Amino acid sequence: PGVDVKVKVSDSQAALEDLSDKKADLAIVGTDRSLPGFSSIPFMNDELVLVVGKQHPLATRKSVSIEELSGLKLAGRSSGSGTRHIWEKLYKSRCSSSKEIALQFGHALAVVNAVASGAEGGVVSRIAAESHPDVVAVDFDPPLLRPFYMVYGLCETKAVETLVSFMIDKAEHKEG
């Protein structure tokens, strides 16, 4: 209330660069990549899921293992994305190799739309997966959980201080 907010959607790396370059007052990112002189606090919880089209053989499954991604041609986020960073790290630790991303996008909804339009699958946030009626979200077993972080520097204005306080309060009430 009382604060005008301009939202720019990007990947985590670009958001942190904007914050560091003082082009933004705060960033919501999908990985905890600390910046000197900035505060980074867990903001809300997230779960990554596999999205496939409704006709895909995995669409009827309740869950899949990360290893089952090896045979899929995936659409995914760009290399600066926290989503991509998290699941690729897990994939490499479990499968001892990297996973090639056939189609790369700067936004999670673009990944979901690509899957809805015929791409074999993608790994996105559950929030993004639920945005399109033509895809199915399949859980990972074990679940692939991660927090979003709010990163900010000195609250140099009352507006930034108010916004940070408001967002922390809303996140606490949503989680609780």
Side-chain angles (χ1 to χ4, degrees):
V3 177
D4 292 327
V5 179
K6 179 181 175 188
V7 176
K8 178 182 175 187
V9 177
S10 64
D11 61 37
S12 294
Q13 182 177 336
L16 291 173
E17 287 172 3
D18 282 352
L19 189 61
S20 184
D21 294 342
K22 297 190 181 235
K23 294 178 184 174
D25 294 312
L26 67 94
I28 305 295
V29 296
T31 58
D32 187 15
R33 298 180 187 165
S34 319
L35 293 174
F38 290 87
S39 298
S40 176
I41 60 170
F43 176 62
M44 64 180 276
N45 292 317
D46 185 25
E47 180 179 8
L48 299 182
V49 296
L50 173 68
V51 288
V52 294
K54 288 185 171 186
Q55 303 307 314
H56 193 280
L58 295 176
T60 59
R61 299 264 305 270
K62 182 179 178 181
S63 64
V64 296
S65 68
I66 195 87
E67 294 85 355
E68 291 178 85
L69 298 180
S70 66
L72 298 179
K73 289 186 179 177
L74 295 177
R77 296 291 313 278
S78 59
S79 62
S81 156
T83 298
R84 182 162 169 182
H85 176 78
I86 295 287
W87 81 260
E88 278 189 339
K89 184 177 175 182
L90 180 63
Y91 184 90
K92 190 169 188 171
S93 74
R94 295 253 184 94
C95 300
S96 301
S97 64
S98 297
K99 176 72 177 146
E100 182 181 338
I101 303 300
L103 297 166
Q104 296 183 35
F105 297 97
H107 195 280
L109 294 180
V111 175
V112 173
N113 287 334
V115 172
S117 297
E120 191 169 10
V123 178
V124 296
S125 164
R126 178 173 299 286
I127 296 164
E130 293 172 349
S131 69
H132 203 294
D134 294 331
V135 300
V136 174
V138 183
D139 295 344
F140 284 107
D141 185 17
L144 189 46
L145 305 173
R146 58 103 184 243
F148 276 110
Y149 295 86
M150 182 167 41
V151 184
Y152 58 94
L154 297 174
C155 294
E156 297 176 357
T157 66
K158 183 67 175 167
V160 173
E161 181 181 328
T162 300
L163 179 60
V164 168
S165 178
F166 175 79
M167 291 178 65
I168 290 171
D169 184 57
K170 285 292 185 186
E172 288 173 351
H173 283 92
K174 185 175 183 177
E175 295 290 319

PDB file of all heavy atoms in Angstrom, residues 50-66:
ATOM      1  N   LEU A  50       8.113 -31.911 -13.307  1.00  0.00           N
ATOM      2  CA  LEU A  50       8.220 -32.187 -14.737  1.00  0.00           C
ATOM      3  C   LEU A  50       6.873 -31.860 -15.359  1.00  0.00           C
ATOM      4  O   LEU A  50       5.838 -32.288 -14.847  1.00  0.00           O
ATOM      5  CB  LEU A  50       8.554 -33.668 -14.966  1.00  0.00           C
ATOM      6  CG  LEU A  50       8.543 -34.137 -16.425  1.00  0.00           C
ATOM      7  CD1 LEU A  50       9.702 -33.497 -17.198  1.00  0.00           C
ATOM      8  CD2 LEU A  50       8.622 -35.653 -16.488  1.00  0.00           C
ATOM      9  N   VAL A  51       6.873 -31.082 -16.442  1.00  0.00           N
ATOM     10  CA  VAL A  51       5.624 -30.851 -17.174  1.00  0.00           C
ATOM     11  C   VAL A  51       5.693 -31.601 -18.491  1.00  0.00           C
ATOM     12  O   VAL A  51       6.716 -31.606 -19.169  1.00  0.00           O
ATOM     13  CB  VAL A  51       5.320 -29.354 -17.426  1.00  0.00           C
ATOM     14  CG1 VAL A  51       4.907 -28.667 -16.161  1.00  0.00           C
ATOM     15  CG2 VAL A  51       6.451 -28.636 -18.085  1.00  0.00           C
ATOM     16  N   VAL A  52       4.597 -32.277 -18.801  1.00  0.00           N
ATOM     17  CA  VAL A  52       4.461 -33.011 -20.063  1.00  0.00           C
ATOM     18  C   VAL A  52       3.055 -32.741 -20.593  1.00  0.00           C
ATOM     19  O   VAL A  52       2.155 -32.336 -19.845  1.00  0.00           O
ATOM     20  CB  VAL A  52       4.679 -34.536 -19.885  1.00  0.00           C
ATOM     21  CG1 VAL A  52       6.119 -34.843 -19.481  1.00  0.00           C
ATOM     22  CG2 VAL A  52       3.704 -35.123 -18.880  1.00  0.00           C
ATOM     23  N   GLY A  53       2.869 -32.990 -21.879  1.00  0.00           N
ATOM     24  CA  GLY A  53       1.543 -32.870 -22.465  1.00  0.00           C
ATOM     25  C   GLY A  53       0.622 -33.952 -21.927  1.00  0.00           C
ATOM     26  O   GLY A  53       1.082 -35.003 -21.458  1.00  0.00           O
ATOM     27  N   LYS A  54      -0.660 -33.726 -22.027  1.00  0.00           N
ATOM     28  CA  LYS A  54      -1.647 -34.670 -21.473  1.00  0.00           C
ATOM     29  C   LYS A  54      -1.591 -36.046 -22.124  1.00  0.00           C
ATOM     30  O   LYS A  54      -2.003 -37.030 -21.521  1.00  0.00           O
ATOM     31  CB  LYS A  54      -3.052 -34.090 -21.596  1.00  0.00           C
ATOM     32  CG  LYS A  54      -3.303 -32.949 -20.641  1.00  0.00           C
ATOM     33  CD  LYS A  54      -4.739 -32.491 -20.714  1.00  0.00           C
ATOM     34  CE  LYS A  54      -4.999 -31.503 -19.591  1.00  0.00           C
ATOM     35  NZ  LYS A  54      -6.402 -31.130 -19.508  1.00  0.00           N
ATOM     36  N   GLN A  55      -1.069 -36.131 -23.346  1.00  0.00           N
ATOM     37  CA  GLN A  55      -0.996 -37.415 -24.051  1.00  0.00           C
ATOM     38  C   GLN A  55       0.341 -38.132 -23.854  1.00  0.00           C
ATOM     39  O   GLN A  55       0.530 -39.252 -24.327  1.00  0.00           O
ATOM     40  CB  GLN A  55      -1.247 -37.203 -25.550  1.00  0.00           C
ATOM     41  CG  GLN A  55      -2.582 -36.539 -25.867  1.00  0.00           C
ATOM     42  CD  GLN A  55      -3.777 -37.241 -25.238  1.00  0.00           C
ATOM     43  OE1 GLN A  55      -3.901 -38.453 -25.299  1.00  0.00           O
ATOM     44  NE2 GLN A  55      -4.654 -36.464 -24.599  1.00  0.00           N
ATOM     45  N   HIS A  56       1.290 -37.496 -23.181  1.00  0.00           N
ATOM     46  CA  HIS A  56       2.618 -38.090 -22.973  1.00  0.00           C
ATOM     47  C   HIS A  56       2.487 -39.314 -22.059  1.00  0.00           C
ATOM     48  O   HIS A  56       1.668 -39.323 -21.127  1.00  0.00           O
ATOM     49  CB  HIS A  56       3.557 -37.054 -22.349  1.00  0.00           C
ATOM     50  CG  HIS A  56       4.982 -37.455 -22.379  1.00  0.00           C
ATOM     51  ND1 HIS A  56       5.519 -38.326 -21.471  1.00  0.00           N
ATOM     52  CD2 HIS A  56       5.977 -37.117 -23.225  1.00  0.00           C
ATOM     53  CE1 HIS A  56       6.803 -38.508 -21.738  1.00  0.00           C
ATOM     54  NE2 HIS A  56       7.108 -37.777 -22.804  1.00  0.00           N
ATOM     55  N   PRO A  57       3.280 -40.369 -22.304  1.00  0.00           N
ATOM     56  CA  PRO A  57       3.208 -41.577 -21.454  1.00  0.00           C
ATOM     57  C   PRO A  57       3.419 -41.299 -19.961  1.00  0.00           C
ATOM     58  O   PRO A  57       2.878 -42.020 -19.121  1.00  0.00           O
ATOM     59  CB  PRO A  57       4.324 -42.470 -21.997  1.00  0.00           C
ATOM     60  CG  PRO A  57       4.535 -42.011 -23.397  1.00  0.00           C
ATOM     61  CD  PRO A  57       4.205 -40.550 -23.425  1.00  0.00           C
ATOM     62  N   LEU A  58       4.177 -40.263 -19.602  1.00  0.00           N
ATOM     63  CA  LEU A  58       4.410 -39.964 -18.188  1.00  0.00           C
ATOM     64  C   LEU A  58       3.272 -39.169 -17.549  1.00  0.00           C
ATOM     65  O   LEU A  58       3.251 -38.989 -16.337  1.00  0.00           O
ATOM     66  CB  LEU A  58       5.729 -39.195 -18.013  1.00  0.00           C
ATOM     67  CG  LEU A  58       7.004 -39.953 -18.374  1.00  0.00           C
ATOM     68  CD1 LEU A  58       8.223 -39.051 -18.240  1.00  0.00           C
ATOM     69  CD2 LEU A  58       7.160 -41.195 -17.506  1.00  0.00           C
ATOM     70  N   ALA A  59       2.315 -38.701 -18.350  1.00  0.00           N
ATOM     71  CA  ALA A  59       1.238 -37.848 -17.837  1.00  0.00           C
ATOM     72  C   ALA A  59       0.346 -38.557 -16.824  1.00  0.00           C
ATOM     73  O   ALA A  59      -0.274 -37.907 -15.982  1.00  0.00           O
ATOM     74  CB  ALA A  59       0.396 -37.315 -18.994  1.00  0.00           C
ATOM     75  N   THR A  60       0.297 -39.866 -16.872  1.00  0.00           N
ATOM     76  CA  THR A  60      -0.554 -40.609 -15.934  1.00  0.00           C
ATOM     77  C   THR A  60       0.184 -40.999 -14.659  1.00  0.00           C
ATOM     78  O   THR A  60      -0.425 -41.550 -13.737  1.00  0.00           O
ATOM     79  CB  THR A  60      -1.097 -41.889 -16.597  1.00  0.00           C
ATOM     80  OG1 THR A  60       0.004 -42.701 -17.017  1.00  0.00           O
ATOM     81  CG2 THR A  60      -1.990 -41.543 -17.785  1.00  0.00           C
ATOM     82  N   ARG A  61       1.464 -40.725 -14.630  1.00  0.00           N
ATOM     83  CA  ARG A  61       2.269 -41.092 -13.461  1.00  0.00           C
ATOM     84  C   ARG A  61       2.104 -40.075 -12.341  1.00  0.00           C
ATOM     85  O   ARG A  61       1.978 -38.877 -12.586  1.00  0.00           O
ATOM     86  CB  ARG A  61       3.752 -41.167 -13.859  1.00  0.00           C
ATOM     87  CG  ARG A  61       4.081 -42.189 -14.927  1.00  0.00           C
ATOM     88  CD  ARG A  61       4.568 -43.498 -14.376  1.00  0.00           C
ATOM     89  NE  ARG A  61       5.695 -43.377 -13.497  1.00  0.00           N
ATOM     90  CZ  ARG A  61       6.978 -43.425 -13.867  1.00  0.00           C
ATOM     91  NH1 ARG A  61       7.294 -43.619 -15.138  1.00  0.00           N
ATOM     92  NH2 ARG A  61       7.937 -43.310 -12.983  1.00  0.00           N
ATOM     93  N   LYS A  62       2.152 -40.546 -11.119  1.00  0.00           N
ATOM     94  CA  LYS A  62       2.100 -39.649  -9.962  1.00  0.00           C
ATOM     95  C   LYS A  62       3.454 -38.975  -9.761  1.00  0.00           C
ATOM     96  O   LYS A  62       3.531 -37.811  -9.390  1.00  0.00           O
ATOM     97  CB  LYS A  62       1.707 -40.424  -8.713  1.00  0.00           C
ATOM     98  CG  LYS A  62       1.598 -39.562  -7.498  1.00  0.00           C
ATOM     99  CD  LYS A  62       1.174 -40.327  -6.266  1.00  0.00           C
ATOM    100  CE  LYS A  62       1.165 -39.349  -5.105  1.00  0.00           C
ATOM    101  NZ  LYS A  62       0.806 -39.926  -3.862  1.00  0.00           N
ATOM    102  N   SER A  63       4.527 -39.736 -10.036  1.00  0.00           N
ATOM    103  CA  SER A  63       5.866 -39.176  -9.843  1.00  0.00           C
ATOM    104  C   SER A  63       6.867 -39.862 -10.765  1.00  0.00           C
ATOM    105  O   SER A  63       6.597 -40.940 -11.299  1.00  0.00           O
ATOM    106  CB  SER A  63       6.303 -39.325  -8.381  1.00  0.00           C
ATOM    107  OG  SER A  63       6.413 -40.691  -8.042  1.00  0.00           O
ATOM    108  N   VAL A  64       8.014 -39.198 -10.934  1.00  0.00           N
ATOM    109  CA  VAL A  64       9.141 -39.736 -11.702  1.00  0.00           C
ATOM    110  C   VAL A  64      10.419 -39.454 -10.923  1.00  0.00           C
ATOM    111  O   VAL A  64      10.459 -38.555 -10.088  1.00  0.00           O
ATOM    112  CB  VAL A  64       9.254 -39.100 -13.116  1.00  0.00           C
ATOM    113  CG1 VAL A  64       8.056 -39.428 -13.976  1.00  0.00           C
ATOM    114  CG2 VAL A  64       9.463 -37.595 -13.030  1.00  0.00           C
ATOM    115  N   SER A  65      11.436 -40.216 -11.209  1.00  0.00           N
ATOM    116  CA  SER A  65      12.745 -39.931 -10.612  1.00  0.00           C
ATOM    117  C   SER A  65      13.495 -38.986 -11.544  1.00  0.00           C
ATOM    118  O   SER A  65      13.197 -38.915 -12.740  1.00  0.00           O
ATOM    119  CB  SER A  65      13.541 -41.226 -10.417  1.00  0.00           C
ATOM    120  OG  SER A  65      13.900 -41.760 -11.681  1.00  0.00           O
ATOM    121  N   ILE A  66      14.438 -38.279 -11.012  1.00  0.00           N
ATOM    122  CA  ILE A  66      15.234 -37.352 -11.831  1.00  0.00           C
ATOM    123  C   ILE A  66      15.986 -38.121 -12.922  1.00  0.00           C
ATOM    124  O   ILE A  66      16.189 -37.627 -14.023  1.00  0.00           O
ATOM    125  CB  ILE A  66      16.185 -36.500 -10.950  1.00  0.00           C
ATOM    126  CG1 ILE A  66      16.739 -35.294 -11.707  1.00  0.00           C
ATOM    127  CG2 ILE A  66      17.342 -37.313 -10.417  1.00  0.00           C
ATOM    128  CD1 ILE A  66      15.867 -34.096 -11.644  1.00  0.00           C
TER     129      ILE A  66
END
